[in-house]
């Protein structure tokens, strides 16, 4: 069973190469999860059985991790860890599961079968939390990780690490390279001159960013913008002629838009950054406000890899036409999932 966390689509999208790898190596795969995350995986692998896991829907307020909606979500999340762990025993029996692969779902550890935990965040000391909070979150996270047989880090080790200090750890882990749904894909370019906004993440900030871009490009009628909205389903927007959108395109379509766009705008979620590495493209990063992981990664990629980054509250005063950066990004990142086979 392969089961990603259901906070946005990033964890699900980076599980795509993991699922493909197991299928190519003769395994029967069961998908696990909930919400848009599970729907995304089912749309990519409609032939595979799936099981719904207990889920705690996360919600960020406008003040991010210091908001009441987020704090209530964390209480639900803690309770959900126990619920999904209790559900796992029956799932293992019902589906004859031999191995469990959890992408950041803390409750899917098992004593009955080998369980694997996939995460890029082993260290919360990123400069955006105070030391006490960072130490507490790290200790809690490691407590659950140690319940798993193996911990897999979707990154490279050393100075070229994409996750930077986030994956610094003294514990024993296996680096399996950067996971992306786009590795090995043949990508055709899209004709025309346009900017591209790839939306993702949890509400309400997804919609806040969407509205900022629509307002900005509505005042630039000679510049085209195409939006992939980061929702499985959604109502059709009324947009000016220079702005187009789509809700849930194929991975091939998204890859084509990324490599063809004049400028790419996106959140600085780790899965999105690994996708950019796989396609050899830089972007303009707008971290989700008050989300320390994304704030750190935006600064990390700006300083180390030549990306451009803005806070969301800065965008109103940015002249988008003047934004310039070197779009092509030559690198040697890849994934090495054969390391997983050696652990089975």
């Amino acid at each position: 069973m392969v089961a990603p966390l259901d906070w946005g689509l990033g964890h699900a999208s980076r599980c795509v190469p993991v699922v493909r790898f197991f299928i190519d190596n003769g395994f029967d795969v069961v998908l696990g999860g909930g919400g848009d995350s599970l729907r995304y995986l089912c749309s990519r692998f409609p032939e595979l059985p799936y099981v719904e896991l207990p889920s705690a829907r996360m919600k960020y307020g406008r003040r991010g991790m210091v908001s009441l909606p987020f704090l209530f979500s964390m209480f639900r999340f803690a309770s959900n860890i126990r619920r999904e762990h209790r559900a796992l025993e029956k799932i293992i029996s019902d589906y004859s599961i031999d191995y469990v692969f959890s992408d950041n779902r803390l409750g899917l550890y098992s004593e009955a079968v080998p369980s694997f935990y996939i995460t890029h965040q082993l260290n919360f000391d990123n400069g955006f939390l105070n030391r006490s909070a960072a130490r507490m979150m790290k200790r809690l996270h490691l407590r659950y990780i140690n319940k798993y047989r193996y911990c897999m880090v979707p990154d490279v080790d050393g100075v070229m690490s994409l996750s930077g200090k986030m994956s610094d750890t003294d514990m024993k882990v296996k680096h399996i390279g950067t996971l992306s749904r786009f590795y090995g894909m043949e990508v055709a370019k899209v004709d025309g001159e346009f900017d591209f906004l790839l939306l993702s993440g949890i509400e309400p900030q997804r919609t806040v960013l969407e509205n900022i871009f629509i307002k900005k490009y509505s005042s630039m009628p000679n510049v085209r913008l195409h939006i992939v909205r980061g929702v499985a389903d959604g109502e059709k927007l009324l947009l000016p002629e220079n702005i187009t959108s789509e809700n849930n395109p194929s991975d091939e379509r998204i890859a084509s838009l990324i490599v063809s766009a004049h400028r790419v705008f996106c959140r600085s979620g780790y899965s999105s950054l690994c996708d950019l590495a796989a396609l050899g493209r830089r972007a303009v990063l707008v971290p989700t406000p008050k989300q320390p992981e994304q704030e750190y990664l935006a600064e990390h990629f700006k300083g180390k890899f030549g990306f451009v980054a803005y806070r969301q509250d800065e965008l109103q005063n940015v002249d988008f036409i003047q934004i310039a950066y070197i779009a092509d990004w030559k690198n040697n990142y890849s994934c090495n999932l054969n390391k997983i086979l050696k652990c089975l």
Side-chain angles (χ1 to χ4, degrees), residues 22-40:
F22 285 131
I23 292 173
D24 291 345
N25 281 277
F27 289 83
D28 297 322
V29 180
V30 176
L31 305 175
D36 286 347
S37 176
L38 181 59
R39 282 191 287 273
Y40 169 86

Side-chain angles (χ1 to χ4, degrees), residues 212-221 223 225 239-240 242-243:
I212 290 172
F213 271 79
I214 291 172
K215 183 177 180 180
K216 293 288 287 192
Y217 278 82
S218 295
S219 66
M220 301 185 294
V223 182
L225 174 68
L239 299 170
N242 65 316
I243 303 177

Side-chain angles (χ1 to χ4, degrees), residues 51-325:
V51 56
E52 295 229 16
L53 296 169
S55 294
R57 185 173 178 83
M58 294 301 297
K59 189 171 181 62
Y60 279 85
R62 291 183 178 268
R63 297 178 64 195
M65 294 180 73
V66 297
S67 65
L68 282 176
F70 181 78
L71 292 176
F72 284 129
S73 294
M74 287 305 297
F75 284 122
R76 291 195 298 269
F77 179 65
S79 174
N80 190 70
I81 294 172
R82 295 190 293 272
R83 289 195 298 136
E84 69 178 7
H85 179 63
R86 287 196 296 266
L88 181 60
E89 184 176 349
K90 186 173 189 303
I91 292 168
I92 289 172
S93 175
D94 289 348
Y95 289 87
S96 300
I97 302 295
D98 295 303
Y99 306 99
V100 176
F101 283 81
S102 164
D103 187 327
N104 275 85
R105 295 192 78 111
L106 291 174
L108 296 184
Y109 55 91
S110 172
E111 295 182 358
V113 300
S115 54
F116 296 69
Y117 188 75
I118 301 172
T119 187
H120 62 275
Q121 189 160 13
L122 297 164
N123 184 13
F124 294 85
D125 183 16
N126 51 30
F128 292 89
L129 289 171
N130 66 55
R131 287 186 178 181
S132 296
R135 195 179 300 116
M136 180 186 69
M137 292 178 72
K138 179 179 180 179
R139 187 180 297 121
L140 182 62
H141 196 200
L142 294 183
R143 175 186 168 192
Y144 280 103
I145 292 175
N146 285 327
K147 296 176 184 289
Y148 286 79
R149 183 81 59 92
Y150 298 98
C151 180
M152 303 288 187
V153 177
D155 196 0
V156 297
D157 195 13
V159 295
M160 292 308 293
S161 167
L162 292 185
S163 56
K165 65 170 66 175
M166 287 174 51
S167 60
D168 284 350
T169 183
D170 295 327
M171 69 183 297
K172 188 176 180 180
V173 300
K174 292 185 181 296
H175 289 82
I176 56 176
T178 53
L179 291 178
S180 172
R181 53 190 159 161
F182 298 138
Y183 280 128
M185 183 182 292
E186 297 219 359
V187 182
K189 285 203 168 186
V190 177
D191 292 332
E193 181 86 359
F194 64 97
D195 290 342
F196 176 50
L197 170 62
L198 178 61
L199 285 169
S200 60
I202 300 171
E203 296 290 7
Q205 294 297 343
R206 191 211 66 84
T207 297
V208 171
L209 186 61
E210 180 177 60
N211 290 337
I212 290 172
F213 271 79
I214 291 172
K215 183 177 180 180
K216 293 288 287 192
Y217 278 82
S218 295
S219 66
M220 301 185 294
N222 295 323
V223 182
R224 289 180 55 208
L225 174 68
H226 187 75
I227 305 173
V228 166
R229 302 187 62 215
V231 291
D233 298 293
E235 60 184 85
K236 192 170 181 179
L237 300 176
L238 294 175
L239 299 170
E241 289 186 1
N242 65 316
I243 303 177
T244 52
S245 73
E246 52 191 312
N247 287 340
N248 190 27
S250 67
D251 292 339
E252 290 78 7
R253 169 72 171 162
I254 294 174
S256 293
L257 291 165
I258 289 173
V259 301
S260 305
H262 175 53
R263 288 171 296 202
V264 176
F265 298 87
C266 66
R267 294 295 195 193
S268 49
Y270 187 68
S271 297
S272 296
L273 297 173
C274 288
D275 285 345
L276 291 168
L279 295 172
R281 291 282 290 188
R282 292 184 178 90
V284 180
L285 305 176
V286 185
T288 301
K290 305 298 183 182
Q291 191 167 330
E293 174 192 350
Q294 289 198 15
E295 292 173 337
Y296 167 74
L297 286 171
E299 290 300 313
H300 178 58
F301 271 67
K302 179 181 177 181
K304 191 170 184 100
F305 301 113
F307 281 57
V308 176
Y310 293 104
R311 296 194 317 270
Q312 187 167 287
D313 61 7
E314 293 179 313
L315 292 177
Q316 302 286 2
N317 300 318
V318 173
D319 183 350
F320 278 35
I321 295 176
Q322 297 301 317
I323 297 175
Y325 62 99

